Amino acid sequence: MPDLLADLNPPQRAAVTWPTRHALILAGAGSGKTRVLTTRIAWLLSTGQVGPQAILAVTFTNKAAREMQSRLAAMVPVNVRGMWIGTFHGLCNRLLRAHHREAGLPAQFQILDIADQLSSIKRLAKNLAFDDQKFPPQDLLHFINANKERGLRAAQIDAYDSLTRRRVEFYAEYERQCQREGVVDFAELLLRCFELLQRNQPLREHYQARFRHILVDEFQDTNRLQYDWLKLLAGHGEPPREPGACLFAVGDDDQSIYAFRGADPGNMGDLQREFVIEEVIRLEQNYRSHGNILDAANVLIRWNPRRLGKNLWTAEGAGEPIRVFEGYSDLDEARFIVEEMTELIDDGVPPTQIALLYRSNAQSRVLEHELVRVGLPYRIYGGLRFYDRQEIKHALAYLRLLANPDDDTAFARVVNFPTRGIGVRSIDALQESARRLNTSLYNAAASLTGKPGTALARFVRLIETLRADTERLPLPEIVDHVIEGCGLRQHYLTEKDGPDRLANLDELLNAATVFTEEYASAVYDAALPVDGGPLAAFLAHASLESGERQAGEGQEAVQLMTVHAAKGLEFDVVFIGGLEQGLFPHENAASERDGLEEERRLMYVAITRARRRLYLSHAQTRLLHGQTRYGLRSSFLDELPKTLLRQLNPAVANVAAFARSDHRVAALARGSAPSDPGSAIADGLCVGQRVRHTRFGDGVIVAGEGNGREARVLVNFDRPVGEKWLLLEYARLLPL
DNA sequence: TCTTTGTAGCTTTTT
DNA sequence: GCTACAAAGA
């Protein structure tokens, strides 16, 4: 046991050996968060405080869950497979499979991924004759998901306008359709599970009594519903029959970059208050980056108000200054980056230790072009995932149809693929008759089988035959038989990109084989009934785990990805490109509530990915949406202390920018934070106000900061001028 | 049924 | 400027 705690620093050790009480661990970037989490579990087990069945560990990604399992397996001799370690969705799936009857779901219920959900919504919108101009399917999807993530059913939504009322009606219809089809979307998985536990007291008490320790990773990324789910399991707010579970939450509010998806970093503060956590443990020693890089990150993030507060430090030296490059154009910037990379590689830096991060995917193109031109291998994250490939989705749809004929999404996907002469007209007619009979497309098709010669009848026969032939087969053979029997393999034999797709289908077969082995070796809790069988479990696995983002393989490649994709990773050398106003921070963020703060956290995440060397680059012009845009350097650059930076190409224009940068940093040091929108700055000027300038024309005040002689405002001037910082002492601004 | 042509949109996206 | 998806022609 003592060796578990060896090499832990004092706060880490305090976290690991925290008494049986709720805990909030503020874990900075690179502070050994995962290690603390897994060691905590290992410590609880090996000190004999609880058994493995009493642990519930929740993560956001399958990768994180696997990482935790494998690390834990290396620390203590337990069957980690049988433990409840998984993603929110994975664990909810497990619970719902075990208690599907109580949850009102069929044993074979299927999980819709986001693409399935969208196609389901499109189908319904068409059936209900919803105007797709007034109600774009994407909006409906967002409306439904956002509400589910807040824990709201259609009946619980307050609709004050007719548009919202229609959306609510649609939501209700969608719920009905899913229920009839026996399918659940991602958000439903959580909401259904939450409602099940809330409604079913014996079940709730069973799990509350069972899980003595609930550990949550990346707590800042939880949404309302996930937090409520945790509270429910922890028995929070209920009369204490016996002491509820201990919630051990690890997170970093500064790395919350998914608020746009519904994550609520405010949950951290809520947790602290609601669970009465008097002492927050801070893990602030960083084992990743050199001092200058950390200092830059620390200074940058201090511009955000409402932080829980944290300052990273390292035992390592300051290291190199942060390199700043200004290109004339995006191409110039790309050339610089690629040249620099080439030099680094020549100097012996492994290409895999070099990462290029950008705010948006569109930025990768110029860089890729340049990388291809000089012949530098690269690996780009963000492509298709394995289970998202069309051939895989088709094969899975056939399997889904075998498992659950009511799954209309699966039916619609494969009814005419490979083409078998069932066109739009037949489908429309089928839709209509299914709607009339209030049944699934498959049932409607089956009921039309009076005419055995029709294409539709042949399709129904095909599915029936497949089902009958595979009924008693083990999973891999089912998959093999279906791929063969449905004609997919035959179809791709003649396609131009057929070989790749066939290889992927083989890979699916392989995945089924691996899955079957794991499934057989008691992946699931022995104490739970396993309903639905291996096929349903495999299909759920395919929906919940879409596989690694496909990337150009090749071991010796530099890594390209968005900042979001880089979260949790680290590299010796990091390039952050496109640091321009409007791009990073992104212009759309300005209109969102707390948008700029999230952008800043994103920048914080980007900076803290670097171990030894960090490059920040921007370009004066950039081709965006087919037009040349003139970008100002990112305000984030100005928020970094000049002393940490080394400008690689001192362009004249930057002298002013640098002076400005010092000014802003000085203002921050004095404690005068940038103004919030709406607040008055000086002399009756406030953010959002229109003003006139003798030289620049008219514009709107976007931000303001400082006071007295140093008070200045950021004005967004009309058309050609754009954003400018102006010192109020000198600039004569006329309020309009 | 497959191909062509047109038009919208375009930030990030763990499950 | 490019892509993705939808509606119209062969």
Side-chain angles (χ1 to χ4, degrees):
Chain A
M1 254 122 289
D3 29 37
L4 269 182
L5 305 179
D7 300 332
L8 293 179
N9 66 36
Q12 286 177 332
R13 187 177 300 222
V16 166
T17 60
W18 189 251
T20 303
R21 265 191 275 134
H22 303 305
L24 177 58
I25 316 294
L26 253 184
S31 65
K33 171 189 65 130
T34 311
R35 184 166 179 214
V36 163
L37 214 39
T38 45
T39 313
R40 165 79 175 172
I41 299 175
W43 182 79
L44 287 170
L45 295 177
S46 62
T47 52
Q49 297 185 52
V50 289
Q53 79 292 334
I55 304 280
L56 178 70
V58 197
T59 63
F60 275 88
T61 66
N62 294 299
K63 197 172 153 198
R66 276 193 303 269
E67 164 109 12
M68 207 184 280
Q69 285 182 329
S70 67
R71 286 211 205 180
L72 190 59
M75 283 191 255
V76 282
V78 290
N79 170 23
V80 288
R81 285 265 167 73
M83 288 181 67
W84 283 66
I85 299 177
T87 62
F88 278 101
H89 295 84
L91 295 166
C92 286
N93 173 53
R94 200 148 145 182
L95 248 135
L96 290 176
R97 295 253 166 235
H99 308 289
H100 66 90
R101 256 179 229 97
E102 295 90 327
L105 288 169
Q108 301 286 334
F109 76 85
Q110 303 298 314
I111 300 167
L112 301 183
D113 67 18
I114 196 83
D116 296 329
Q117 191 188 7
L118 187 61
S119 87
S120 169
I121 284 173
K122 281 181 181 168
R123 195 155 28 79
L124 182 62
K126 203 175 156 201
N127 272 339
L128 298 175
F130 264 65
D131 179 5
D132 59 358
Q133 300 294 109
K134 233 161 109 188
F135 300 98
Q138 278 287 357
D139 285 6
L140 292 169
L141 179 127
H142 179 255
F143 179 80
I144 291 169
N145 288 347
N147 278 298
K148 284 189 181 181
E149 278 161 16
R150 263 178 246 134
L152 296 178
R153 291 292 181 192
Q156 300 167 284
I157 300 170
D158 295 320
Y160 297 107
D161 58 286
S162 61
L163 220 63
T164 310
R165 265 196 293 278
R166 286 290 280 163
R167 289 201 187 96
V168 171
E169 283 169 32
F170 188 89
Y171 179 7
E173 286 294 335
Y174 171 76
E175 273 184 39
R176 226 163 285 143
Q177 170 165 292
C178 287
Q179 188 60 34
R180 186 178 54 62
E181 293 185 27
V183 296
V184 296
D185 55 49
F186 284 145
E188 182 72 24
L189 225 34
L190 283 158
L191 183 52
R192 192 63 81 103
C193 186
F194 175 79
E195 289 171 343
L196 169 68
L197 293 171
Q198 194 179 45
R199 191 167 8 91
N200 191 323
Q201 189 187 346
L203 209 59
R204 180 175 68 247
E205 286 177 354
H206 167 78
Y207 284 105
Q208 284 173 343
R210 171 182 174 154
F211 297 126
R212 307 313 303 151
H213 291 271
I214 301 175
L215 302 95
V216 196
D217 192 15
E218 307 277 19
F219 186 76
Q220 78 283 352
D221 288 340
T222 51
N223 61 35
R224 190 75 239 160
L225 179 56
Q226 286 160 338
Y227 180 41
D228 287 343
W229 185 84
L230 290 167
K231 283 206 282 193
L232 195 61
L233 273 173
H236 183 266
E238 291 183 49
R241 285 169 302 278
E242 49 181 320
C246 288
L247 196 53
F248 187 90
V250 181
D252 182 359
D253 54 332
D254 292 334
Q255 291 190 73
S256 160
I257 56 175
Y258 285 105
F260 74 94
R261 273 177 104 264
D264 183 0
N267 283 345
M268 297 193 83
D270 288 353
L271 176 91
Q272 192 184 350
R273 203 175 46 255
E274 294 174 359
F275 284 79
V276 202
I277 295 167
E278 276 154 25
E279 185 192 349
V280 174
I281 297 183
R282 286 180 164 74
L283 305 181
E284 297 177 298
Q285 181 173 5
N286 174 291
Y287 294 95
R288 179 186 294 157
S289 311
H290 281 166
N292 284 342
I293 293 169
L294 285 187
D295 287 348
N298 281 331
V299 170
L300 179 94
I301 203 64
R302 279 192 58 205
W303 288 94
N304 271 2
R306 296 186 300 273
R307 295 201 305 136
L308 293 176
K310 185 167 45 39
N311 221 35
L312 295 178
W313 62 276
T314 177
E316 299 221 29
E320 303 176 345
I322 292 158
R323 293 160 162 81
V324 179
F325 178 84
E326 171 170 26
Y328 298 111
S329 63
D330 45 356
L331 184 65
D332 188 33
E333 180 195 26
R335 287 215 173 104
F336 163 78
I337 291 173
V338 173
E339 261 170 42
E340 205 72 16
M341 284 178 168
T342 311
E343 267 177 44
L344 286 162
I345 293 167
D346 287 346
D347 289 347
V349 180
T352 50
Q353 279 307 317
I354 302 175
L356 171 50
L357 311 184
Y358 35 81
R359 173 69 241 265
S360 61
N361 286 304
Q363 286 169 255
S364 74
R365 200 185 309 122
V366 214
L367 294 154
E368 285 186 70
H369 189 86
E370 207 44 32
L371 286 160
V372 170
R373 195 180 67 81
V374 305
L376 191 58
Y378 64 93
R379 192 187 143 117
I380 180 158
Y381 288 75
L384 260 186
R385 288 147 176 257
F386 179 71
Y387 288 104
D388 286 341
R389 298 175 171 279
Q390 67 142 344
E391 62 275 22
I392 302 301
K393 296 220 81 173
H394 281 133
L396 290 173
Y398 278 104
L399 291 165
R400 271 163 58 175
L401 218 42
L402 294 198
N404 174 11
D406 291 337
D407 187 337
D408 284 356
T409 306
F411 183 96
R413 173 176 273 275
V414 295
V415 65
N416 198 33
F417 194 96
T419 48
R420 40 177 75 91
I422 303 170
V424 197
R425 277 191 322 125
S426 341
I427 304 283
D428 280 350
L430 188 63
Q431 272 312 349
E432 178 51 31
S433 91
R435 211 177 52 76
R436 233 188 11 254
L437 299 167
N438 190 28
T439 185
S440 64
L441 293 174
Y442 185 86
N443 276 338
S447 71
L448 290 177
T449 325
K451 301 162 272 180
T454 64
L456 213 45
R458 278 200 303 277
F459 177 70
V460 172
R461 269 242 312 289
L462 171 71
I463 299 299
E464 306 265 273
T465 313
L466 285 175
R467 187 180 297 117
D469 288 353
T470 56
E471 209 159 16
R472 309 228 149 261
L473 295 179
L475 178 60
E477 286 176 43
I478 298 178
V479 175
D480 192 29
H481 192 95
V482 167
I483 292 174
E484 199 60 54
C486 71
L488 274 181
R489 182 161 278 151
Q490 184 63 34
H491 172 82
Y492 286 122
L493 236 35
T494 57
E495 284 282 292
K496 43 186 178 298
D497 41 3
D500 281 348
R501 301 201 190 272
L502 287 172
N504 285 330
L505 288 174
D506 286 339
E507 195 49 48
L508 179 67
L509 189 53
N510 200 33
T513 311
V514 172
F515 181 83
T516 310
E517 283 161 16
E518 288 181 358
Y519 186 79
S521 70
V523 179
Y524 286 87
D525 196 321
L528 282 178
V530 184
D531 275 10
L535 179 55
F538 178 61
L539 291 170
H541 164 86
S543 299
L544 291 175
E545 176 142 18
S546 30
E548 285 281 281
R549 286 275 186 183
Q550 222 55 37
E553 289 304 313
Q555 284 297 292
E556 289 304 289
V558 296
Q559 318 278 305
L560 271 65
M561 67 196 83
T562 63
V563 180
H564 283 93
K567 190 178 165 200
L569 305 176
E570 56 180 64
F571 306 92
D572 284 340
V573 183
V574 167
F575 291 83
I576 306 173
L579 283 167
E580 291 134 47
Q581 226 31 22
L583 199 62
F584 197 0
H586 199 276
E587 54 198 346
N588 293 6
S591 58
E592 282 160 29
R593 203 162 68 80
D594 306 331
L596 186 63
E597 274 117 77
E598 177 140 320
E599 294 290 303
R600 196 175 279 117
R601 291 193 292 266
L602 204 47
M603 182 67 182
Y604 177 79
V605 168
I607 292 173
T608 51
R609 297 310 96 195
R611 274 198 283 257
R612 334 200 72 86
R613 186 181 284 196
L614 177 62
Y615 290 88
L616 307 176
S617 66
H618 59 111
Q620 290 170 2
T621 68
R622 181 176 299 274
L623 217 57
L624 208 66
H625 306 326
Q627 285 167 321
T628 306
R629 300 231 319 204
Y630 298 84
L632 293 157
R633 53 186 260 143
S634 169
S635 52
F636 294 155
L637 282 168
D638 298 334
E639 290 174 2
L640 299 176
K642 184 184 132 196
T643 48
L644 298 176
L645 308 178
R646 184 204 287 164
Q647 185 74 26
L648 297 177
N649 54 341
V652 182
N654 281 332
V655 177
F658 261 61
R660 196 203 302 159
S661 129
D662 280 350
H663 171 88
R664 290 203 77 183
V665 172
L668 180 67
R670 281 195 315 275
S672 65
S675 320
D676 285 325
S679 63
I681 297 159
D683 318 18
L685 292 176
C686 68
V687 171
Q689 187 169 13
R690 254 191 111 60
V691 288
R692 177 163 295 159
H693 185 274
T694 39
R695 230 170 75 228
F696 299 128
D698 294 353
V700 180
I701 297 182
V702 181
E705 68 184 26
N707 37 44
R709 297 188 55 186
E710 282 167 343
R712 59 197 198 99
V713 290
L714 179 63
V715 183
N716 186 13
F717 287 104
D718 293 349
R719 260 165 296 163
V721 184
E723 285 190 341
K724 292 221 175 292
W725 278 104
L726 299 169
L727 277 170
L728 285 178
E729 196 182 359
Y730 303 114
R732 282 213 313 272
L733 289 175
L734 228 80
L736 290 180

